[in-house]
Amino acid sequence: MPEQPSDTSRAWVEIDLGALRRNGAAIARHAGVPLLPMVKADAYGLGAVAVARALESLHPWGFGVATVDEGAALREAGITRPILVFTPLLPADFPAARAARLTPVLGDASAIARWTESGDAWQLDIDTGMARAGVRWDRIGDIAHLLARVPPEGACTHFHSATDSTSVAQQRERFATALAALPSRPRMLHAENGPTVEHLDAKSTMDVVRPGIFLYGVGSGHGARIAPEPVVNLHARVVEVREIDDGDVVSYDATWRAQGRRRIATLAIGYADGYRRALSNRGEVLLNGARARVAGLVTMDMTMIDATGTRCEPGDVATLIGAAGSDSLSVADVAERAELSPYEILTGLRARLRRVYREAA
Ligand SMILES: *Cc1c(COP(=O)(O)O)cnc(C)c1O
């Protein structure tokens, strides 16, 4: 049952920190190495500070973010473990990164040259085929002089198709080629994201693994060796209920028309909260033991559902993601209906939604 936030709460995200921690423990056990949890993008929308604190008990090596601001926010909250910044920093970001004691992951020669003017730690990003960031695996020689000056404490790569064993194997080979070309082996190597770990049939050969979405309750499904527990619940309250007549329309552009007399409930959540407009006329929500379909276009602040045959009244709580009674809607279910990725559903949950943290029994 959702913890009851104040009665005025219109819509909120509930985060099960116990499930988050169990997912972290499960993926660390499967990988056989410590975690470098990815808490970028505010821990995929769930709240980076709360997530990082909750994961502390698993003794992660450190945390991964995308920006200096994200790393600085963790520092301000008292997180003292190493924090890696994975999106390449430009030299203009360096003073703030140094001030927050962040460790950049770099792949550009001039950025490496500038960063290593001091002795501050950094890690080397090696592009083995994603063509997003990092020095190409076959061009290590170009930066050999920089590597000798301040050797990177770590080196990493990223798989473009985490669950495809052929391309993963090719990228692993390229990574090994690049490592062999380094003047010395960095203390710490890492490559696997969550989906790659899920598909490992032996322990990782790296020093840490970098799961993100698995921690937050979304597994890659088919062929995975482990599956996460759900972590996220999205709730909104019914704020009005009306009966409409045959032929009446609902919401902007009149894309939904009543066939017979229908009961329409208005939920206080919309696309400005992250309940995506792509769920118009397709999303389903759980309400008082039944499933109800979104009726008409999702609007900025409200969403209507066809609650015909369901007893409901203002104040009732609808579940848009999560379990209610014996039924449930996973992040993946919602993503599929919206034709979006689960990553977009989670990171799309906006600041207007209150975050409620609980420890499940
Ligand atoms: C986001 C990210 C991850 C985590 O990916 P998931 O698919 O969420 O497990 C790992 N490594 C890097 C470099 C990333 O950018």
Side-chain angles (χ1 to χ4, degrees):
M1 274 289 101
E3 200 174 281
Q4 289 303 315
S6 86
D7 286 338
T8 57
S9 175
R10 44 182 292 281
W12 65 99
V13 185
E14 193 183 294
I15 294 135
D16 181 344
L17 296 176
L20 169 80
R21 226 180 270 114
R22 288 190 293 279
N23 291 341
I27 199 161
R29 198 179 318 115
H30 189 68
V33 296
L35 300 181
L36 167 44
M38 298 302 287
V39 298
K40 58 190 179 181
D42 206 23
Y44 295 33
L46 307 194
V49 169
V51 163
R53 283 194 183 131
L55 293 174
E56 281 282 349
S57 65
L58 301 177
H59 308 292
W61 175 84
F63 295 100
V65 298
T67 71
V68 170
D69 286 354
E70 290 174 358
L74 290 176
R75 287 284 180 251
E76 272 156 35
I79 299 291
T80 56
R81 292 180 194 276
I83 297 175
L84 295 187
V85 185
F86 278 88
T87 300
L89 295 186
L90 296 170
D93 301 318
F94 288 175
R98 293 188 204 277
R101 288 165 292 112
L102 308 180
T103 305
V105 179
L106 301 173
D108 173 76
S110 66
I112 295 169
R114 288 285 297 279
W115 181 266
T116 57
E117 284 166 4
S118 82
D120 293 335
W122 67 288
Q123 298 210 0
L124 175 64
D125 196 358
I126 298 172
D127 172 21
T128 56
M130 171 101 173
R132 179 172 73 170
V135 61
R136 264 179 71 99
W137 80 95
D138 54 359
R139 303 304 296 266
I140 297 292
D142 297 357
I143 58 163
H145 58 295
L146 297 170
L147 297 171
R149 186 157 76 179
V150 181
E153 69 165 18
C156 62
T157 194
H158 191 52
F159 300 118
H160 58 72
S161 306
T163 61
D164 168 48
S165 58
T166 310
S167 68
V168 167
Q170 182 192 46
Q171 288 191 262
R172 285 188 191 284
E173 244 169 70
R174 290 173 172 180
F175 191 48
T177 302
L179 294 175
L182 298 179
S184 58
R185 182 197 188 276
R187 182 154 62 80
M188 173 182 162
L189 303 177
H190 44 109
E192 290 107 353
N193 66 357
T196 319
V197 176
E198 288 175 63
H199 285 75
L200 287 178
D201 48 23
K203 301 296 180 206
S204 172
T205 57
M206 303 286 159
D207 299 295
V208 299
V209 290
R210 302 191 307 259
I213 203 158
F214 184 95
L215 302 171
Y216 312 126
V218 182
S220 53
H222 188 71
R225 303 300 179 95
I226 49 172
E229 288 180 42
V231 170
V232 176
N233 299 275
L234 177 61
H235 297 290
R237 282 186 198 276
V238 173
V239 288
E240 285 197 8
V241 178
R242 77 199 62 242
E243 307 284 338
I244 64 172
D245 292 327
D246 185 48
D248 285 354
V249 298
V250 173
S251 195
Y252 290 120
D253 295 344
T255 63
W256 192 95
R257 188 176 294 272
Q259 296 187 345
R261 211 171 151 70
R262 311 301 289 178
R263 189 172 169 75
I264 299 294
T266 300
L267 304 179
I269 189 169
Y271 61 76
D273 299 288
Y275 193 68
R276 309 294 287 260
R277 198 165 177 277
L279 292 160
S280 299
N281 289 312
R282 330 166 58 158
E284 287 186 333
V285 313
L286 308 180
L287 179 63
N288 297 342
R291 270 193 187 218
R293 176 72 74 100
V294 171
L297 297 189
V298 172
T299 75
M300 189 183 296
D301 314 306
M302 289 173 257
T303 297
M304 281 64 79
I305 58 173
D306 179 0
T308 308
T310 310
R311 264 208 258 148
C312 64
E313 57 184 67
D316 286 354
V317 175
T319 299
L320 298 91
I321 297 175
S326 58
D327 202 358
S328 67
L329 292 166
S330 68
V331 174
D333 293 336
V334 173
E336 198 181 311
R337 282 190 176 269
E339 295 186 61
L340 293 169
S341 81
Y343 297 83
E344 288 172 280
I345 297 293
L346 289 182
T347 59
L349 298 174
R350 303 199 55 202
R352 192 165 76 177
L353 291 167
R354 193 182 289 200
R355 267 67 178 165
V356 177
Y357 297 96
R358 72 177 162 93
E359 295 277 347

